[in-house]
Amino acid sequence: MEPCFNYNGILDGKYILVKEIDSSISSTTYKVFDSSTEKKFLVKIFNENKTQINTEIEMYRRISRNESPLFLKYINSSSGDLIMDDIRLFDKKYIVFENATKGDLLQLINLKSRGLGEKFSKIFFAKFLKAVHILHKIGICIKNIDMKNILLDGDNFELKLTNFELSSFFINEIGKKILLKEKFRIFQNAAPEVMKGIYYDAEKADIFALGVFLFSLITGFYGPKGAKTKHSSFDINEKLYKFIKNKNESFWNLFETNFDIKFSPEFKKLFAKMVDINPKNRPTIEEILNDEWMKEIIDLSENELKTYEKELINEFKSRYELFSLIISNGD
């Protein structure tokens, strides 16, 4: 049993707060140790925005009822609203999750080499698309697809999607799809129509975000925001949006020249469709799964797919070992 030290407090006389792992304006997430079962969990502690708290809890309840292994399990999905003990002299709501043992995707994406490349990205992206498809079916759009919210768990580095703090419902009480309008926040991978603050189709906005995420997965660049490199002439933020607007082929040449990253014609074609400036021109998730670029994975036999997935697992293992070594040397 790993000793618990440097903890900040105790939740419900049961969960020992070991380490803060993420924070935002509305919440803080801690790794915790259950003193009664000696198991590790994650606890997300919310601030006082009751509408946002109740919305996210309802999202996790819907996801939990779906029983998909692609999401981080919400431990208290059958209970009512949860109020934590007195910490920092204020009562705050919290929810408890299972712990993803291998951390998040962002930690591993650029270890050994920049990005995962097309082959490994294709395998991982197919699984991720299925998770997003489930969310869309139950009326949830992600809006902000962040590698920090894509967790890896267990010996097989299974994908676990979490953190729907910035997500929204786009199907109303009578089952009708509604348009959304963003009022305050600008997200890292947001579609142009979201950034303009106009009414938008949530599913089409997520397709744009998925396109930018796929680009980041392959290349390791977390564009368009926060994507500047040591090459001052290679500002991904500017170049990506110029490509989205003008579909300029020189965008790809810059990667091949500066970073020796080559892209297949099939990926270029799919990416251009997913980030089309006109939402109506973007493909659906079903169309992406049946796209020529995805065909190599979709057409594999079960045994062939297992072989490909094993290669991806081994790739993640080697990156995780390197990450663990870096962390231990840092300590």
Side-chain angles (χ1 to χ4, degrees), residues 17-18 42 59 66 110 116 125 142 233 244 258 299 302:
L17 278 64
V18 178
L42 298 179
M59 286 182 182
N66 183 270
N110 279 336
L116 290 180
F125 190 61
I142 305 177
S233 63
I244 289 168
N258 288 283
D299 289 349
E302 187 175 341

Side-chain angles (χ1 to χ4, degrees), residues 183-238:
K183 293 183 178 180
F184 302 112
R185 292 189 173 107
I186 298 300
F187 307 126
Q188 180 174 320
N189 299 335
E193 63 271 21
V194 177
M195 292 194 291
K196 288 178 180 178
I198 61 177
Y199 285 100
Y200 62 90
D201 182 314
E203 290 176 288
K204 292 297 186 179
D206 267 1
I207 295 299
F208 182 97
L210 282 166
V212 180
F213 166 74
L214 178 57
F215 172 84
S216 301
L217 194 65
I218 291 172
T219 65
F221 291 107
Y222 316 126
K225 287 181 169 45
K228 291 186 179 180
T229 73
K230 63 182 179 181
H231 299 262
S232 58
S233 63
F234 199 78
D235 184 342
I236 310 300
N237 186 358
E238 178 185 353

